[in-house]
Amino acid sequence: MGKIKDQYQKLQEQAQKLTLSPDVIQIRVGSATCENASGAREVAEEFKKNIVVYGSDNVKLLTVGCTGRCSCEPIVSVSKPGKKMVVYQKVDRETAHKIFVSHIKEDRLVEESLLGDASIYNTNKSQTAYSPSQQNLAGFPMTEEFLKLYGDIPFYNSQTRIALRNSGIINPESLHEYISRQGFLGLNIVLDKADPEWVVDQISIAKLRGRGGGGFPTGKKWHLARMSEEKIRYVVCNADEGDPGAFMDRSLLESDPFSVIEGMIIAGYAIGAQKGFFYIRAEYPLAVERVQKAIDLCHKEGLLGKDIWGTGFNFELEIRLGAGAFVCGEETALIHSIEGERGQPRTRPPYPVVKGLWNKPTVINNVETLANIPAIMVMEANNFNKIGTAVSGGTKVFALAGKVNHTGLVEVPMGTSLREVVFGIGGGIPNGKKLKAVQTGGPSGGLLPYSVIDTPIDYDTLAASGSIMGSGGMIVLDEDDCAVDVAKFFLIFTQDESCGKCSPCREGTLRMLEILERITSGNGTLEDLVNLERLANLVKKASLCGLGKAAPNPVLSTLKHFRDEYLAHVVDKRCPAKKCAALIRYEIDPEKCVGCTACARVCPVKCITGERKFAHIIDQKQCIKCGACFNICKFSAVKKT
Amino acid sequence: MNNNLKNVCCSGDCSKNEKDCIEASRDLFPENILKFIEQCLKDEHPNSQLITVLHKVQDHFGYLSPQTMDAVAYLMQIPAAKVSGVASFYHYFRLKPCGKHVISVCLGTACYVNGAEAVLKKFSEELGIKEGETTHDGMFTLEIARCLGACALAPVVKIGDDIHSQVTPDKVPFIISSCLKK
Ligand SMILES: Cc1cc2nc3c(=O)[nH]c(=O)nc-3n(C[C@H](O)[C@H](O)[C@H](O)COP(=O)(O)O)c2cc1C
Ligand code: SF4
Ligand code: SF4
Ligand code: SF4
Ligand code: FES
């Protein structure tokens, strides 16, 4: 059995040989979709040019994935021998050049562009003590490196990174970089042990629950697939990421595809599958490209294919693309889609673990779930389950977006409070506004009001608050957002995405949407509210698949937590957040109006009249509430009520 | 050529023989697509590659025309009705020709709460078309996207392979004119 370990040893040695010597100055530039959108490519070019121009052989430009600090991108980090890594934010060509000539050449930090305070970087000692959950990561090179590199920098220092352990650190297209950080050690441990049952037990002991939203215990799912009498079995990675507002899975696949592949291979071994599929949404071309490259590299090294490490275990991976249908994230619809059919769900049971792809037992797991698997094997289930809550081990990655200062990816232990995520790591709400609610679970979730801000985040607690954990999308709403409008937004989405197979969802969501449209346009009645709630509960009960069953959640949770706002729309014909156009009134304050005529000139329906230098007036009957006058008036004379 | 094909793949009231039909279908596609289809036919579950093939066809032609769908049906030996049934189910597949630049304005949650509607409106005004439409000169198609995965940089607009972040209505004219220069 030592043979298998030896093979890994050899891989490790190869990888170490290719690793840069510590005497080299390393510049890391991100290269995920969001980084590229912020101009990371030009920044990388600038560094390349500088390296050539200055003939700096000892400087190496490294392309890495995304560290998740999206609102500060492009992020550049510079590691000099024997010194702490320095991180820069919002770097453009010019700053890149400055970093090169001043920091790299002369050791002077470009202070105005640093991420965090200069004092962090001016000492080699780490200033932040590990939190209890971070302490569980220490001692494992795989998970500790992130803490060593980023542990003092705000935003990162309160995170516990397991799934995102390599994101932003390694080159996502380099197998040796992955291996040099204990990559494929998990698989090696598994194959060396040669006991699939043991693997499944470890996953159960780890208390790993599905990160795709449902929270089903992963060990149990694998166990069910193992029990099947069928010999042909499949593993599927669900990378459909349909929640519009979530991007954890995209970032993970673009930044560290090997960890997900390793997770897939281990899953395949544990359940006795020889073939796995990545189902990736077509909207993520870069993720598709990186996963394909990674699969090819693994093939070359014999980590995929026939007789892996001489164990007799064969495993192949193939990518299948989605085509823009939210419902295809649902397991049975996803299976139909991989089979080349219309992505319509079917009733369960039978569950995919019994009858899945081509009627064979199929384990479907989310990207993040799979990325955790190698880490569990390396750090051992009993350490993994110390992080998180008593019923749910490990961490969860959230995609923080909306009205929050630090948008980006945040990985925290299960059971962390919303306050810590939104106000701690997220840095609170911009422009001095107040937090109104946090939306989790996307179109299948709900709005969590300020009152639950201290509730620990977990599958069960969020469900009790009327939302769901979901796959990790977390959209922060401030006082300018209208709860009714947000509910309507999600209903437009689910109504459009309903596959049409069953009538409660197809018709019910349409009726609900009609009611919401009436309410937001000022024509709602109290009876509408009663009907809305009744319909919502009906659709929830009677729909065939998860899409329909969860579609009413945004409505039900807002009715529960923001009923006052519904009443204001229906009874007072007022939108307290001043969002629903039909319920807003624009008026000119004659005291403040100086008669500059600017508003009259921009009004598209020419309904503002008045003489130059005299107060103007809006003809309310004709006003289409476009807001143009409000935006243009320099004297704050136009009031929005 | 196209007329032939229309005959080829209709429900059978044409006089062409199957060989001609396949030949005509082959003429429509570039080598890489033909190769891929050939490869698929050797697969254990050849039909399962239908969506992949449709992606490749759309990548090449910009959209799926009745002719190209019929040709896919023929070459993959899948009923034409099923091919169009699958193509019409998925939002990603375009059944109408599109302009040179396809502008996708994201209306996902993060983009929506950060003001994407105003951005869409501005594009619509500037181009004089509604979502789903193409300008007369064939330069622009305006589309809505459901999250492009760059939510932290909302509102986001995708044009070709480029993602524009934190787009505001006043940046729209500039974005349009920079497309025209390409
Ligand atoms: C409408 C709908 C959409 C879904 N979308 C996704 C998705 O985008 N990604 C995902 O991993 N799971 C999604 N799920 C959950 C999956 O059906 C499934 O539970 C999950 O992939 C299982 O993996 P896990 O146990 O690792 O979470 C969706 C479910 C429903 C009902
Ligand atoms: S609940 Fe909606 S999405 Fe699900 S099967 Fe029924 S119609 Fe289709
Ligand atoms: S823009 Fe303002 S100040 Fe000028 S006329 Fe209009 S309301 Fe009066
Ligand atoms: S809101 Fe628009 S339509 Fe109404 S008065 Fe102002 S500019 Fe004119
Ligand atoms: S919501 Fe627009 S990119 Fe995600």
Side-chain angles (χ1 to χ4, degrees):
Chain A
M1 274 301 153
K3 220 179 94 214
I4 296 168
K5 281 195 174 139
D6 289 348
Q7 301 219 26
Y8 184 70
Q9 195 56 39
K10 239 190 279 162
L11 262 185
Q12 244 330 312
E13 280 161 18
Q14 268 173 29
Q16 297 301 343
K17 251 184 249 158
L18 290 167
T19 307
L20 291 175
S21 115
D23 303 334
V24 173
I25 301 175
Q26 304 177 11
I27 309 173
R28 288 187 172 88
V29 181
S31 67
T33 297
C34 41
E35 316 247 6
N36 292 343
S38 332
R41 284 199 198 105
E42 288 85 65
V43 171
E45 251 168 54
E46 181 68 25
F47 280 120
K48 246 185 241 160
K49 203 175 83 192
N50 279 286
I51 292 175
V52 176
V53 170
Y54 292 88
S56 313
D57 296 337
N58 64 333
V59 182
K60 192 96 183 135
L61 175 68
L62 307 175
T63 312
V64 296
C66 154
T67 57
R69 187 68 174 83
C70 303
S71 50
C72 293
E73 278 166 0
I75 296 229
V76 168
S77 58
V78 177
S79 317
K80 291 190 124 183
K83 290 217 169 82
K84 222 180 198 176
M85 185 174 81
V86 177
V87 183
Y88 291 100
Q89 58 164 328
K90 295 189 181 162
V91 178
D92 55 12
R93 254 182 198 279
E94 210 177 312
T95 323
H97 179 72
K98 255 195 232 161
I99 293 173
F100 200 91
V101 292
S102 143
H103 181 174
I104 294 184
K105 289 270 135 203
E106 292 177 9
D107 235 0
R108 276 184 297 114
L109 302 190
V110 182
E111 297 210 0
E112 67 274 18
S113 298
L114 288 173
L115 181 63
D117 202 72
S119 62
I120 303 172
Y121 305 109
N122 284 331
T123 153
N124 263 340
K125 282 210 199 77
S126 68
Q127 296 147 313
T128 322
Y130 289 169
S131 73
S133 72
Q134 286 171 339
Q135 267 161 20
N136 293 306
L137 303 184
F140 306 101
M142 175 186 260
T143 44
E144 195 177 14
E145 182 122 341
F146 188 88
L147 294 172
K148 282 189 183 153
L149 290 175
Y150 289 92
D152 278 339
I153 306 170
F155 181 78
Y156 301 113
N157 59 3
S158 12
Q159 299 194 38
T160 301
R161 293 209 168 194
I162 300 175
L164 301 179
R165 57 193 177 274
N166 288 323
S167 290
I169 298 183
I170 66 164
N171 179 346
E173 298 185 6
S174 162
L175 178 57
H176 83 258
E177 281 191 37
Y178 179 71
I179 290 174
S180 71
R181 304 197 57 249
Q182 294 191 313
F184 286 102
L185 177 58
L187 178 66
N188 194 259
I189 292 169
V190 165
L191 293 184
D192 186 57
K193 194 95 181 169
D195 180 2
E197 202 81 54
W198 174 83
V199 181
V200 177
D201 287 344
Q202 292 305 300
I203 301 301
S204 295
I205 294 169
K207 295 183 188 157
L208 179 69
R209 293 173 69 174
R211 307 297 198 234
F216 192 83
T218 307
K220 194 168 163 194
K221 189 183 275 189
W222 291 12
H223 175 71
L224 290 170
R226 274 192 65 74
M227 305 227 302
S228 171
E229 310 235 302
E230 293 274 2
K231 286 283 159 286
I232 295 180
R233 299 168 196 171
Y234 296 102
V235 181
V236 173
C237 170
N238 188 345
D240 196 41
E241 194 155 62
D243 170 2
F247 52 99
M248 317 66 56
D249 296 347
R250 171 190 62 71
S251 180
L252 193 43
L253 290 176
E254 288 176 354
S255 305
D256 190 19
F258 293 105
S259 69
V260 187
I261 290 176
E262 188 182 350
M264 292 272 277
I265 305 174
I266 295 173
Y269 183 78
I271 71 153
Q274 305 208 341
K275 171 110 197 188
F277 289 93
F278 272 94
Y279 185 80
I280 311 180
R281 61 195 297 247
E283 289 86 345
Y284 290 174
L286 188 60
V288 174
E289 186 190 317
R290 295 235 163 109
V291 172
Q292 188 60 56
K293 273 191 191 155
I295 291 176
D296 294 344
L297 284 170
C298 288
H299 256 286
K300 257 198 208 139
E301 276 304 329
L303 295 163
L304 276 174
K306 293 236 174 314
D307 193 18
I308 297 170
W309 282 328
T311 55
F313 169 52
N314 309 327
F315 196 69
E316 295 288 348
L317 276 176
E318 195 179 320
I319 299 179
R320 290 296 169 94
L321 294 192
F326 173 60
V327 71
C328 286
E330 196 277 342
E331 305 184 321
T332 59
L334 187 152
I335 287 168
H336 288 150
S337 187
I338 293 184
E339 290 173 347
E341 306 279 338
R342 290 161 70 90
Q344 283 185 317
R346 60 157 171 80
T347 35
R348 299 179 309 175
Y351 288 93
V353 282
V354 178
K355 268 188 191 319
L357 266 175
W358 298 292
N359 286 324
K360 304 295 181 198
T362 303
V363 159
I364 300 175
N365 274 130
N366 166 262
V367 173
E368 189 185 331
T369 313
L370 290 163
N372 274 298
I373 306 287
I376 295 174
M377 293 302 149
V378 172
M379 63 191 287
E380 292 177 12
N382 273 321
N383 285 310
F384 185 89
N385 71 16
K386 287 199 190 97
I387 300 166
T389 67
V391 289
S392 181
T395 57
K396 179 78 198 89
V397 180
F398 291 102
L400 202 54
K403 311 285 182 56
V404 62
N405 278 317
H406 308 160
T407 55
L409 291 181
V410 174
E411 182 170 354
V412 289
M414 291 280 178
T416 305
S417 73
L418 268 180
R419 185 188 297 281
E420 167 64 11
V421 174
V422 175
F423 290 97
I425 301 172
I429 319 298
N431 306 323
K433 301 265 174 164
K434 279 206 208 72
L435 173 83
K436 171 164 195 162
V438 178
Q439 208 285 336
T440 61
S444 311
L447 259 56
L448 299 162
Y450 187 77
S451 58
V452 302
I453 192 89
D454 291 309
T455 317
I457 310 171
D458 195 353
Y459 298 94
D460 316 300
T461 51
L462 290 195
S465 310
S467 187
I468 60 165
M469 173 84 114
S471 56
M474 195 178 260
I475 312 271
V476 181
L477 304 175
D478 70 8
E479 49 196 296
D480 293 340
D481 292 304
C482 164
V484 187
D485 182 65
V486 170
K488 187 176 86 176
F489 166 82
F490 283 117
L491 223 65
I492 293 173
F493 180 87
T494 40
Q495 205 279 315
D496 196 34
E497 294 291 339
S498 162
C499 81
K501 183 168 175 167
C502 65
S503 52
C505 163
R506 186 184 62 230
E507 300 299 323
T509 53
L510 190 63
R511 293 287 101 78
M512 285 167 67
L513 181 57
E514 283 168 5
I515 298 180
L516 285 171
E517 253 150 20
R518 272 207 296 281
I519 296 176
T520 51
S521 61
N523 302 316
T525 61
L526 285 172
E527 200 191 336
D528 275 335
L529 283 188
V530 178
N531 286 337
L532 182 64
E533 194 152 14
R534 199 176 47 86
L535 254 171
N537 283 312
L538 188 109
V539 172
K540 196 175 170 123
K541 268 201 215 99
S543 290
L544 186 150
C545 85
L547 189 149
K549 282 188 208 302
N553 284 347
V555 171
L556 288 170
S557 82
T558 44
L559 275 171
K560 176 173 169 184
H561 298 297
F562 298 95
R563 189 173 281 269
D564 284 358
E565 241 175 287
Y566 278 90
L567 287 173
H569 283 71
V570 170
V571 181
D572 313 333
K573 307 292 175 205
R574 211 168 46 81
C575 172
K578 300 193 186 78
K579 171 87 194 174
C580 299
L583 300 178
I584 304 172
R585 216 179 128 90
Y586 291 96
E587 268 171 311
I588 295 175
D589 180 350
E591 300 284 308
K592 285 192 178 161
C593 176
V594 301
C596 74
T597 76
C599 58
R601 277 180 278 134
V602 293
C603 175
V605 292
K606 301 283 166 234
C607 70
I608 306 180
T609 48
E611 292 291 317
R612 174 171 283 280
K613 297 200 178 149
F614 289 95
H616 280 46
I617 188 157
I618 295 175
D619 178 353
Q620 294 298 337
K621 281 212 191 74
Q622 285 188 57
C623 171
I624 55 164
K625 335 239 177 192
C626 71
C629 53
F630 178 81
N631 292 334
I632 202 147
C633 179
K634 288 199 189 89
F635 307 92
S636 311
V638 182
K639 279 189 308 203
K640 190 169 165 185
T641 52
Chain B
M1 223 279 344
N2 282 355
N3 285 342
N4 277 351
L5 261 170
K6 232 179 145 193
N7 287 333
V8 165
C9 298
C10 68
S11 45
D13 50 340
C14 76
S15 53
K16 295 248 183 312
N17 64 29
E18 192 170 337
K19 220 176 116 221
D20 290 344
C21 305
I22 294 195
E23 220 32 66
S25 301
R26 290 185 64 90
D27 285 349
L28 212 52
F29 292 142
E31 200 51 37
N32 67 329
I33 296 184
L34 293 175
K35 267 218 181 101
F36 185 79
I37 295 179
E38 248 163 55
Q39 201 62 42
C40 293
L41 293 177
K42 291 186 206 137
D43 215 71
E44 200 184 338
H45 304 283
N47 291 2
S48 77
Q49 295 284 13
L50 174 58
I51 294 171
T52 320
V53 171
L54 292 178
H55 271 298
K56 288 185 189 288
V57 174
Q58 173 158 306
D59 281 351
H60 186 78
F61 294 96
Y63 77 112
L64 302 175
S65 65
Q67 284 88 347
T68 50
M69 282 194 279
D70 283 350
V72 167
Y74 233 92
L75 295 172
M76 290 189 80
Q77 316 200 339
I78 296 174
K82 182 169 163 194
V83 175
S84 60
V86 167
S88 61
F89 180 84
Y90 294 96
H91 294 297
Y92 197 83
F93 293 128
R94 227 179 267 127
L95 305 178
K96 280 192 299 192
C98 61
K100 183 173 169 209
H101 303 284
V102 177
I103 302 180
S104 307
V105 180
C106 178
L107 279 192
T109 320
C111 291
Y112 180 79
V113 305
N114 280 313
E117 267 186 320
V119 173
L120 177 66
K121 195 167 149 237
K122 187 75 179 173
F123 270 110
S124 182
E125 279 167 16
E126 291 284 320
L127 297 172
I129 49 173
K130 289 207 278 290
E131 53 130 332
E133 294 178 350
T134 301
T135 51
H136 286 303
D137 59 2
M139 284 304 277
F140 295 102
T141 297
L142 187 59
E143 285 184 349
I144 290 179
R146 258 27 173 332
C147 191
L148 298 162
C151 322
L153 306 171
V156 171
V157 174
K158 184 177 174 209
I159 304 178
D161 288 335
D162 291 334
I163 293 202
H164 299 255
S165 54
Q166 289 162 344
V167 179
T168 48
D170 52 314
K171 287 188 192 160
V172 167
F174 174 74
I175 293 178
I176 293 176
S177 63
S178 61
C179 283
L180 286 171
K181 280 188 209 125
K182 275 187 194 163

